[in-house]
Amino acid sequence: MATADLDVRRGAPAPKDRLVNDFSLQVATVNGSGSQSSNLVLLRTIFQMGIPVSGKNLFPSNIAGLPTWYTIRANKNHYVGRKKEVDFLVALNAETARDDVAALEPGAAVLYDEPLRLDALRSDLVFYAVPFDRLVAAVCPEAKLRKLVRNMIYDGVLAHLLHLDLAQLENALRRHFRKKPKAADLNWAAVQAGYEYASQHLPKRDRCWLEPMQENAGKIIIEGNAAAALGCLFAGVTVVGWYPITPSSSLCEYLISYLRAYRLDPATGQATYAVVQAEDELASAGIVLGAGWMGARSMTSTSGPGISLMSEFIGLGYYAEIPGVFFDVQRVGPSTGMPTRTAQGDVAFAATLGHGDARHIVLLPGTAGECYTLALAAFDLAEEFQTPVFVLSDLDLAMNHWIADPLPYPNGPLRRGKVLDAAGLERIGEFARYRDVDGDGIPYRTLPGTDHPAAPYFTRGSGHNDRALYSEKPQEYVANMDRLGRKFDTARARVPAPVLERDGAGEVGVIAFGSSHFATLESLDQLARQSGLHAAYLRLRAFPFNQQLRDFVARHRRVYVVEQNRDAQMLDLIRLELAANPGGPADLVSRLRSVRHYDGLPVDARSLSDEILRQEAQP
Amino acid sequence: MPDRLNHIGLAPADYRGSKTTLCAGCGHNAISERIIDACFELGLQPHRVVKLSGIGCSSKSPAYFLSRSFGFNSVHGRMPSVATGALLANRTLRAIGVSGDGDTASIGIGQFIHLMRRNLPLVYIVEDNGVYGLTKGQFSATADEGQKLKSGVVNQLPALDLCAMAIESGATFVARSFSGDKRQLTQVLKAALSHQGVAMLDIISPCVTFNDQPESTKSYQYVKQHESPVHDVDFIPYFNDITVDYEPGAVTDVRLHDGSHLRLRKLDRDYDPTDRRSALGLLSNAHGGEEVLTGVFYLAPEKPDFLAGLNLVPEPLATLPDDRVRPPQSVLERINASLA
């Protein structure tokens, strides 16, 4: 890197030292100070300039007054996972400014509020002082409003320094404030003030540069939770029971707004859906199962603590065979943990949730687009397999903005599974609720209200035979549990298959899932470019696993399983899978190696590469 | 002689369930019999009724009535949420929930309160015997203060009054009856099944195995001797003519949602069952007394139920066709454009 001999006090860096469309910008503010608008406008401007970009909000579990950081990463190679190093810092929080500056790599740039006097701290950084109070006072005579527009000043300053397209910036800003034209004008004035000031007083000395590209044509930018909510909308969800919890609340809040807009009967204005904010997560789960039993497409969204409370109901859903979709937007545990930080810590828990024997279908979206498509799939799978289905998202995926392809309209009808109506009961002759008629382990069901003498049955979480009658007979219990096992095996071929993202040289394979995806892609490129290590990459999208996983492990001598938890939970599930189904090379389990990241921050490529190289260096 | 038939042509046998597995003489069995009577007499279509329960002796009983209806024996104390989901999915069905004093007053007290608050159209029956029967006789939260178990354990905590809690929480039909009072219980059940809103029935149901000591207020002997109906309860279904044969002032006549009438003939107490404060006053004054008050304590048939407030389409949400629950492609295109 050329940074060491860069003289930051002289003029602009030579073109060869510039970071064009390849840097990470961090805005450090106090939460509740209204910086989110400035950050989203900035993000959207870069998106509209055609440059691959992502935005990550690192916020405290608090409403106002604690430090918050927003990181925007622009990257021409589509590396939109977290980057460890910050190349450009906007320091507006007096409380964290010194630490934030101390953490920077030499050569980074700092835009700061003049009174903070940060420029004395280090001599190897580029500093830009901006008198925010003076600038905002000039554009906003009303003192009360200044706080709201003050942060927009830095968008203007950055427009000058980073070469933001001003027309796109104004477009993004007016779009952001489209319902408040007056606020748009005021904010735009603040942007202009920042821009003017920077043009006159801040000659460009740092390395970060934006240049328009054409990478985002036809793309959308969306949060994972919004995409998941759209999946529920187009899956035809009819009953929602939920209880607020970070980071899942916005999923149901988006869903409510979509349902209100698009699911009222055009003739009568009446709702084709029902949403209940329940008294707790126990009740949310009860609502989901009650509705699923009645034949509705029902769902809830929650996070780890909510899943803990729902475990009894989900066990009932498994054993009594009732459909329902459970979104678990994971955050850091155990217990309350770090509610606003990200993790993949519920993998093992979700896969086997409940007392006694239980195995659940778990879907693993890795992109915002998959938050949508796997939500659609979850409702079909829940009804086809008559069982609770988990969708495991996480805070990074769910609450941050991601570039995605336009969401595709679902093909074909809703798959409602094996439901017998009165005519179907006539046809079939004899109905037994839990009988394996088709040999796939999936029984037929009837819905309450069906007018046929054979239709009614008694649903229970207690032992039952194939006619749904209470039973404690050993052979009937075993027969039922084995059928449930067969049903789960049937699911292997029907859940979303893993994706072979990269084919490698045969020696090393990497397995990842969920929000680790983008960092993993970047890490593979780092390994190939910097160390000549060409690894293959299989991205898991569901549990139970299928043959592709076994084949992938068999094709590689060492297989790194990347996950964001301490205990290598996914590796454990893979190990069980490989051990439980013998066949192929005997040493498959011993090929697995673990790469874990669990500090609450989204995983970054550099950490993955370093850890893989460290383990590769060991015998 | 063939069975007598009701107005939809069904016999009492059409409302029966499987053979009970509860103890001989259990009050719960008598309640199941009265549910059968009430559903028969009202002429309910069995397939239009769903039965739900939690866990415990009481919660086993839905298997013992209405075998032509769908049933759901769910988890301990959480039946209200299951019933909520079920009725959201299909509001055209009648729902009967059976719980016990352990299932409701201890583990399920939270869901109970929120069920009452929501005024979900559900007949919620508490088969109340003051003990945990299925785990062999531990106290529940409706057990009498100072009561002693055979083992010598004394209950030091006051009993919860589920009727008062239900009224406080927003229930619109609150009654107490006794499993052994055949006439009153049948009338109350019929009225509850005709009510459009939550109907909470606290039914004293003696546990012959664990809590039938004469001094227990949940024993047969005690309730027989101390039952104090606050009125005579008469239910006149919508399909029968109403005859006016009472003196003004002596009777409260309440029209229910389906056109049925509940006629409460005042005995020796002066209170208004359509007035919450009056009903709460009655229950509050009875605390510590020797008597077991029974009757319909509170009624608010006009208050809209939970489902009415959701502005739902009239058809069951569960079975709406695809084109009514999946917006057209143009909607998704519009949304995509707004995100581009």
Side-chain angles (χ1 to χ4, degrees), chain A residues 138-153:
Chain A
V139 293
C140 188
E142 216 176 317
K144 262 197 315 197
L145 295 177
R146 281 178 198 156
K147 202 180 99 178
L148 298 175
V149 298
R150 190 176 186 275
N151 282 319
M152 211 48 91
I153 303 273

Side-chain angles (χ1 to χ4, degrees), chain B residues 16-37:
Chain B
R16 302 217 152 273
S18 3
K19 190 174 172 298
T20 179
T21 59
L22 299 172
C23 306
C26 174
H28 300 357
N29 289 331
I31 297 170
S32 294
E33 290 298 318
R34 299 293 83 74
I35 292 171
I36 291 166
D37 292 347

Side-chain angles (χ1 to χ4, degrees), chain A residues 200-232:
Chain A
Q200 290 165 21
H201 301 97
L202 304 176
K204 173 82 172 171
R205 285 176 292 128
D206 68 277
R207 298 169 298 159
C208 300
W209 242 270
L210 290 172
E211 283 176 8
M213 295 176 76
Q214 301 295 328
E215 295 298 305
N216 297 333
K219 304 272 187 185
I220 63 170
I221 189 161
I222 190 169
E223 290 151 78
N225 272 349
L230 286 168
C232 297

